[in-house]
Amino acid sequence: LTADELVRLWRGKPWWEDYGDNPGLFFPVGIEDFPEDHAQRVHGVDAAMDNVMVVATAQRGKSTALMTLVTSASLMYRPERVSFFCVGASLHPLEEIPHVAGVVSVTDIEGVSRTVATVEGIIRARESSFKHLQMDVSEFRERRFSPMGGPTDPDDRFGDVFLVIDNFGDLYDKDNDLGERAIAVARQGLSYGVHVITSASGWLVGQKQALLSVANARIQLRLSNPDETQMGSGMEHRRAARQNLDRPGFGVTRTAHELLVGLPEMIAADGTRIGTRGVGEAIAARTGAGKVESLARLPERIALRDIAASGGAPDSDPLDLPFAIGESALQPVVLQARQVPHLLVVGRQGCGKTTALAALGQAICTRLTPEQAQITIIDPKTTLIGKIRGPAVRAYAYTPEDIDAV
């Protein structure tokens, strides 16, 4: 079945009728078979107060299950209600869906770090706003999305936010710090409407216990070792896992019933199939929904004057020197020279150490008068020649004699 058919079966009407008017936070993912009742019913995950985990051995449908979750969620709710930040090359077909803020590959470390930093920033902002407005996540949802309404942070444009990571083990192996940050999001985020959806190749391998313990909404497809099932501890659960068809998309549920995951696709009005890459266009055309937000990335280049132009209030301390853009908030990074009088710039060859020193030097020349600050440049490799200009430069030395003299 396609995602739109799963949603239709769950709602009892097409996805576009009263679009987004669905209670809770339920994402249909597939069909569960109940042979004892001679029935098949929609199976999904209740993500309102949980993180979600999809587990299967290789080539058994983990990435497809993640895309089906995102697709069905996008058909159930408006972009203002649910938003997704995705990590994993296999998830790129989702990027045109209005609910998807961005998709980055695991190999794009800067992009992954920016994605995680964005989600962390949402948590930090909500920690402050929830305290200020004296509300918890349930009240936030009620104020933001119920007819009664109520005050929320006007700068917070999101509803519930999901960080989706395909093959979490790959991310953790490539960068342990990013993996730990994602686990921290999973642990801290639920209280602020921020969730993590991950996939992994096994419950015990390529997995972290800290993540496993905070993800109770689970989808299990075929495992390489069915006896490792985490969908129940009884004999019937192990038997169901062993009997699970060894084909993509087939899994078992907590009730030991067979599950078949739907496809992240739709059927058009004329009966033609709309692939995953076309789902976003179909949703936008039918509902007018647009993206709430797109993932902001650090620019390839930025002029120092642009940083200085947004580098603080006019009455800020003149010794607060803006010289860079920070990844977390994409705001100027300021050296508070009055409180931190010394700075060491460290990095490998070609990473920009000289440029960083030049930016700081030029920031001093721009922000301070010669009476307030003077610069002495010691430059044995002559890499800073001509890069710091202004009356604040009192001396430049590169030979041993000149260095001794200054």
Side-chain angles (χ1 to χ4, degrees), residues 375-379 384 388 393 395-398 406:
I375 302 174
T376 299
I377 302 173
I378 298 176
D379 185 23
L384 283 170
I388 304 175
V393 179
Y396 176 89
Y398 63 92
V406 300

Side-chain angles (χ1 to χ4, degrees), residues 1-3 6 28-32 43 54-56 60-69 72 218-222 244 247-253 258-264:
L1 290 178
T2 55
L6 291 173
V29 70
I31 291 292
E32 184 175 359
H43 179 83
V54 179
V55 173
R60 288 301 174 267
K62 298 187 299 293
S63 301
T64 299
L66 291 180
M67 290 194 288
T68 299
L69 282 169
S72 66
R218 300 175 177 180
I219 298 169
Q220 177 180 296
L221 306 180
R222 178 70 187 189
N244 187 184
R247 289 166 54 190
F250 282 89
V252 293
T253 67
E258 189 174 58
L259 168 69
L260 176 59
V261 172
L263 294 172

